[in-house]
Amino acid sequence: MAQITKEMIDRINELAHKKKSVGLNEEELKEQKALYIEYLAAIRGQVRSSLSTVKFVEDLTEEELKEELAKRTK
């Protein structure tokens, strides 16, 4: 999974500002597209990772529910 770094965010913002003010050349457009793809892949990975840990209370047995609640109150 791709990692979102401060440098990546800074470069995305820099290219976005330049695109609005003076425009981007072909190389910068390609870089911007690649950065967006990498950024979105990282966000999707983070969301998938978060969602994979979600448990629905309705799906738990009474014993499993008690265990989950005990874990959270520690």
Side-chain angles (χ1 to χ4, degrees):
M1 175 170 58
Q3 180 89 0
I4 298 173
T5 64
K6 181 177 179 354
E7 291 79 18
M8 177 191 291
I9 300 293
D10 290 346
R11 185 61 178 155
I12 288 171
N13 289 332
E14 181 183 328
L15 289 170
H17 292 299
K18 184 175 180 186
K19 184 176 183 179
K20 287 181 183 178
S21 62
V22 295
L24 300 176
N25 62 37
E26 281 299 315
E27 187 177 311
E28 290 167 328
L29 286 170
K30 288 178 185 177
E31 179 186 5
Q32 185 182 46
K33 185 175 181 177
L35 283 169
Y36 283 154
I37 290 169
E38 188 177 348
Y39 178 81
L40 289 174
I43 295 293
R44 287 182 183 117
Q46 291 173 358
V47 170
R48 284 187 186 109
S49 177
S50 294
L51 290 177
S52 70
T53 63
V54 171
K55 293 183 181 180
F56 292 94
V57 175
E58 295 85 13
D59 295 342
L60 299 177
T61 65
E62 191 171 324
E63 187 174 313
E64 290 171 328
L65 182 56
K66 287 179 184 176
E67 289 174 14
E68 283 296 318
L69 290 173
K71 281 187 216 175
R72 293 171 193 231
T73 57
K74 288 184 180 178

